[in-house]
Amino acid sequence: GAGVSQSPSNKVTEKGKDVELRCDPISGHTALYWYRQSLGQGLEFLIYFQGNSAPDKSGLPSDRFSAERTGGSVSTLTIQRTQQEDSAVYLCASLSKGGANYGYTFGSGTRLTVV
Amino acid sequence: QKEVEQDPGPLSVPEGAIVSLNCTYSNSAFQYFMWYRQYSRKGPELLMYTYSSGNKEDGRFTAQVDKSSKYISLFIRDSQPSDSATYLCAMSAKSNTGKLIFGQGTTLQVKP
């Protein structure tokens, strides 16, 4: 597609439920990043994919968080047993192979609210 | 202490004012410096990119990097109401791998 697509755009879930967030990157972009933006905060790195591999997942806050990428395209971020502190906007960005970091294209994010 | 510090504001200025936004950082390995603009309920979009120290100008926007002081700035001249947004600084040690480290973001409002 023309841009990075994220779904759903908004998600309200009950504490303790699992959620799946989806990112569809720009076609042909090999690198994919997940960031989290809490209210009034900057972007916090979660995980980076190059193709289907995740060379850097150092930002995942706990083992309740996992992510995968299939076919070098769509990525899913899963949060198990959600907690209220997981409420945030989850942003995905993609980058073309060999592209410099300034070539990030961000999606509009998924706004997650845990009640 | 965070690697990148940015005053969250909010900053409110009248239309036509010159705006100065700043970030400080602690990691001397950072070489690539970016400013992103984020409108409400949208993803960040790249505004300016600078490598190493120096100035870069693009229309009404000027980015400055002072690596000796670990300080970067974004200046907006003749500010417009459409400039009202959150401005995030970001930086990286490498050009094409891994993550960007972001500041907290400064919320700017330009009043007509």
Side-chain angles (χ1 to χ4, degrees):
Chain A
V4 177
S5 179
Q6 291 189 246
S7 60
S9 55
N10 286 283
K11 176 73 176 178
V12 180
T13 190
E14 292 181 352
K15 178 181 173 182
K17 300 281 190 182
D18 297 352
V19 294
E20 282 191 356
L21 312 180
R22 176 187 167 106
C23 173
D24 201 341
I26 292 174
S27 178
H29 278 196
T30 56
L32 186 148
Y33 301 79
W34 283 98
Y35 285 83
R36 177 169 72 174
Q37 187 173 29
S38 302
L39 188 63
Q41 301 296 311
L43 278 68
E44 174 191 13
F45 169 79
L46 296 178
I47 187 169
Y48 153 59
F49 286 94
Q50 183 62 251
N52 293 336
S53 300
D56 187 353
K57 40 186 165 182
S58 61
L60 294 178
S62 75
D63 59 7
R64 295 187 296 106
F65 287 72
S66 62
E68 65 174 10
R69 190 178 184 197
T70 55
S73 181
V74 172
S75 176
T76 303
L77 177 69
T78 301
I79 309 173
Q80 296 179 311
R81 304 181 304 280
T82 52
Q83 303 295 312
Q84 288 185 330
E85 61 262 29
D86 300 334
S87 296
V89 177
Y90 290 82
L91 289 158
C92 173
S94 70
L95 182 68
S96 60
K97 182 178 182 180
N101 278 342
Y102 55 82
Y104 273 43
T105 301
F106 280 91
S108 293
T110 294
R111 186 173 299 270
L112 176 66
T113 303
V114 182
V115 297
Chain B
Q1 184 181 2
K2 294 180 180 179
E3 278 189 285
V4 180
E5 297 279 357
Q6 184 177 7
D7 186 339
L11 182 61
S12 181
V13 300
E15 183 175 355
I18 297 175
V19 176
S20 173
L21 305 168
N22 311 292
C23 289
T24 59
Y25 63 94
S26 57
N27 188 344
S28 57
F30 288 148
Q31 297 189 75
Y32 301 88
F33 303 92
M34 286 136 274
W35 286 95
Y36 283 82
R37 179 174 61 195
Q38 185 177 25
Y39 291 113
S40 180
R41 295 186 176 269
K42 297 291 186 183
E45 55 178 341
L46 182 69
L47 201 56
M48 297 288 285
Y49 165 82
T50 309
Y51 169 68
S52 194
S53 286
N55 295 355
K56 186 172 186 178
E57 186 173 323
D58 183 2
R60 296 184 296 109
F61 298 89
T62 300
Q64 289 185 351
V65 174
D66 182 349
K67 289 188 69 179
S68 63
S69 301
K70 298 190 178 68
Y71 187 88
I72 70 171
S73 301
L74 177 71
F75 297 96
I76 307 173
R77 290 182 299 281
D78 187 25
S79 56
Q80 303 295 309
S82 58
D83 295 328
S84 299
T86 295
Y87 291 80
L88 297 141
C89 63
M91 45 200 81
S92 173
K94 297 181 180 180
S95 69
N96 61 358
T97 60
K99 59 197 177 193
L100 296 180
I101 307 300
F102 283 83
Q104 187 176 354
T106 299
T107 300
L108 171 67
Q109 183 180 23
V110 181
K111 295 184 175 180

